[in-house]
Amino acid sequence: MSTSHNADCRAAAEWVAGELRRLGCREVEFLASGTHPVVWGVGPDVPGAPTLLVYGHYDVQPPDPLDQWTTPPFDPTVRDGQLFARGAADDKGQVFCLLKAIEAGGGGGRGSPLVNFRFLIEGEEEFGSRVLFELLRREPERTRADAVLIADMAYIAPRWPAVYTTLRGLCYAEITVRTAKTDLHSGEFGGAAPNAHEELARLLGRLKTPDGKIHVPGLYASVKRPSKRELATWKRLPFKEGEFLRHRVQAKALTGLKTHSVLERLWALPTFEIHGIMGGFTGDGAKTVIPAEARAKVSLRLVPDQKLKTVERQLTAAVKRLAPAYVQASVTFLHGADPATVEVTHPAFGLLDQAFREVVGRGTVPARAGGSIPVVPALGKSGAPVILTGIGLPDDRLHAPNEKLDLKQLWDGIKVFRRFYELLGEKGV
Ligand code: BES
Ligand code: MN
Ligand code: MN
């Protein structure tokens, strides 16, 4: 994890803590001290009312490439009803929404509180939530609740709010290839000496072939195809492959396993992506060198029933097997997450559905998500329903330049969560 924004992350944590105090929390603490603390809050006691654990994160992904932002990433700017900033949707803007909904009278703040709030707003979600995992393992009782609410996702399409039944897991790794003791002159040695970048390129090209198949032995063994019934419900979702290609991906073609629909590829199949390739000569001008070392940052997304630990072993074995004997190849793991599955039948989902129905005119559709939130499986362990939802839109450009949040979505979101808290307090679960 980069440390260059430690002070900024600390400032974000302080902001969250200040808001929690203002909302009347009787306990506000930084847990697991350090520069990205977990912000913990306990709302005012409401005897007899349900306990709701609100989870979110104040850390964000790096904003680069900076020159592609119309306005600076950390200078939130409104244009055409959209708020542009890193974190606008993922996840600062949505945490803002969850808190403002309380201030707006959905329990606590000015009105009288309706539910027992617990807040868990962390600062390392984008790096695998290691500190929070340790905390949940050490103190499983602390986060006990009747329901968990997470707003770190988007509507499935404009005017189509959703709740998510699965999240993919993630296995993030660095592959290093070494072919010689040092770099070599390509005139003196070219033609007879191994080249680390060439070997790495070949290795990566073998790990995933142009048909979209990932050649990691055993990887697909536990991958289950969604049921016919679930696939049928996806057909009714407002998702068109052509539109997805033209307006969202904005490329010339879609790739991946052609035997599976695009939604299946995005939601129910593992992936292998190359994030960056390092090493060799990349400076200005030309240097005739044969690089001795090359590295690649890669990741696999995992689907329900795959296990991070197993996939780590499988990837290491595959890399060792694919590298020729004269190439030293190694894999190190940076972070990861197990996939998550949530049942959306608990009554709390009915209350959120009603809140969306009343405020935006349509209830929540169940869908799956391609992204990951590492602690979700741990938060669901006690049996409490984990409500994965969000008020973003599919074109919010998470992790990319010009990330934004539509202000109409934000105002609606405040009303939705306010109503949800109210229903939860009135009806219980
Ligand atoms: N909010 C996202 C997860 C997400 C994005 C879920 C889109 C559904 C749809 C989260 O902040 C995120 O980006 N998670 C990382 C986790 C990783 C770094 C461990 C991810 O998915 O890459
Ligand atoms: Mn997020
Ligand atoms: Mn994110």
Side-chain angles (χ1 to χ4, degrees):
M1 178 169 49
S2 157
T3 54
S4 54
H5 288 287
N6 278 351
D8 301 317
C9 285
R10 184 77 193 190
E14 298 282 359
W15 184 89
V16 175
E19 287 296 296
L20 294 182
R21 277 190 213 101
R22 225 162 49 76
L23 287 171
C25 280
R26 57 187 164 87
E27 224 181 86
V28 179
E29 257 183 278
F30 283 177
L31 303 176
S33 63
T35 47
H36 299 206
V38 175
V39 186
W40 168 252
V42 179
D45 247 331
V46 189
T51 298
L52 179 69
L53 176 68
V54 172
Y55 166 85
H57 63 96
Y58 63 78
D59 62 318
V60 297
Q61 289 271 332
D64 50 82
L66 286 173
D67 60 345
Q68 288 182 28
W69 285 79
T70 307
T71 48
F74 297 109
D75 256 334
T77 309
V78 176
R79 286 194 300 279
D80 291 336
Q82 322 270 330
L83 176 70
F84 290 86
R86 170 58 86 233
D90 183 12
D91 180 32
K92 292 178 176 184
Q94 302 211 59
V95 168
F96 180 85
C97 223
L98 292 168
L99 299 181
K100 290 298 159 186
I102 301 174
E103 196 173 328
R110 272 174 248 132
S112 51
L114 295 167
V115 300
N116 291 290
F117 283 103
R118 301 284 182 276
F119 301 94
L120 193 62
I121 313 295
E122 70 153 317
E124 294 191 345
E125 192 274 345
E126 302 287 9
F127 199 71
S129 306
R130 214 164 286 162
V131 165
L132 182 53
F133 269 114
E134 178 53 28
L135 187 93
L136 294 175
R137 197 190 55 74
R138 235 176 24 236
E139 299 183 46
E141 284 307 309
R142 184 190 282 270
T143 51
R144 191 170 287 285
D146 297 304
V148 184
L149 176 62
I150 303 179
D152 194 17
M153 336 276 292
Y155 284 23
I156 183 111
R159 296 182 302 283
W160 283 79
V163 286
Y164 293 86
T165 61
T166 70
L167 288 170
R168 287 197 288 194
L170 184 72
C171 170
Y172 203 113
E174 197 166 304
I175 300 176
T176 305
V177 159
R178 181 157 269 285
T179 49
K181 195 144 181 268
T182 62
D183 291 356
L184 300 165
H185 189 296
S186 68
E188 276 183 289
F189 299 96
N195 178 314
H197 273 264
E198 180 188 328
E199 297 300 339
L200 178 64
R202 210 166 2 249
L203 179 76
L204 295 173
R206 285 183 176 148
L207 275 171
K208 189 169 89 183
T209 41
D211 56 0
K213 182 126 197 184
I214 304 162
H215 297 269
V216 171
L219 185 76
Y220 292 99
S222 53
V223 175
K224 282 203 207 78
R225 204 138 192 194
S227 68
K228 281 218 173 76
R229 226 181 114 235
E230 190 175 6
L231 289 174
T233 65
W234 294 0
K235 288 232 166 69
R236 293 197 292 272
L237 294 176
F239 178 88
K240 298 265 175 307
E241 294 187 359
E243 250 166 58
F244 176 73
L245 168 62
R246 273 190 306 281
H247 302 297
R248 305 273 315 284
V249 182
Q250 298 177 283
K252 295 251 164 71
L254 295 175
T255 54
L257 285 177
K258 295 279 153 36
T259 46
H260 295 64
S261 70
V262 171
L263 282 184
E264 256 187 292
R265 286 178 239 166
L266 296 173
W267 291 349
L269 278 174
T271 65
F272 174 81
E273 297 296 342
I274 302 164
H275 303 293
I277 298 180
M278 296 90 70
F281 178 70
T282 56
D284 284 338
K287 178 183 176 189
T288 47
V289 68
I290 300 177
E293 191 183 272
R295 289 176 297 136
K297 291 199 189 270
V298 304
S299 78
L300 295 112
R301 293 274 167 184
L302 318 180
V303 293
D305 295 322
Q306 288 187 294
K307 293 297 288 175
L308 171 60
K309 279 283 158 263
T310 311
V311 171
E312 285 183 353
R313 273 198 302 274
Q314 291 170 336
L315 178 65
T316 305
V319 167
K320 302 265 177 211
R321 224 179 57 139
L322 288 173
Y326 60 87
V327 171
Q328 250 183 61
S330 59
V331 184
T332 55
F333 295 98
L334 298 175
H335 65 56
D338 276 319
T341 306
V342 268
E343 281 274 1
V344 295
T345 48
H346 187 279
F349 290 93
L351 301 181
L352 183 71
D353 180 73
Q354 185 183 336
F356 269 110
R357 219 175 271 284
E358 289 178 16
V359 175
V360 303
R362 185 167 1 232
T364 52
V365 284
R368 293 199 190 196
S372 316
I373 303 176
V375 296
V376 166
L379 290 176
K381 232 182 210 146
S382 68
V386 181
I387 305 172
L388 290 166
T389 188
I391 51 102
L393 288 175
D395 65 351
D396 283 345
R397 292 183 287 272
L398 313 182
H399 298 192
N402 300 311
E403 177 181 350
K404 59 90 175 159
L405 183 66
D406 190 305
L407 289 180
K408 173 81 167 85
Q409 294 292 115
L410 178 80
W411 303 133
D412 279 354
I414 293 173
K415 289 182 204 153
V416 168
F417 294 127
R418 177 190 182 283
R419 182 66 181 134
F420 172 69
Y421 300 153
E422 209 167 64
L423 287 167
L424 189 63
E426 275 168 21
K427 305 198 173 175
V429 283

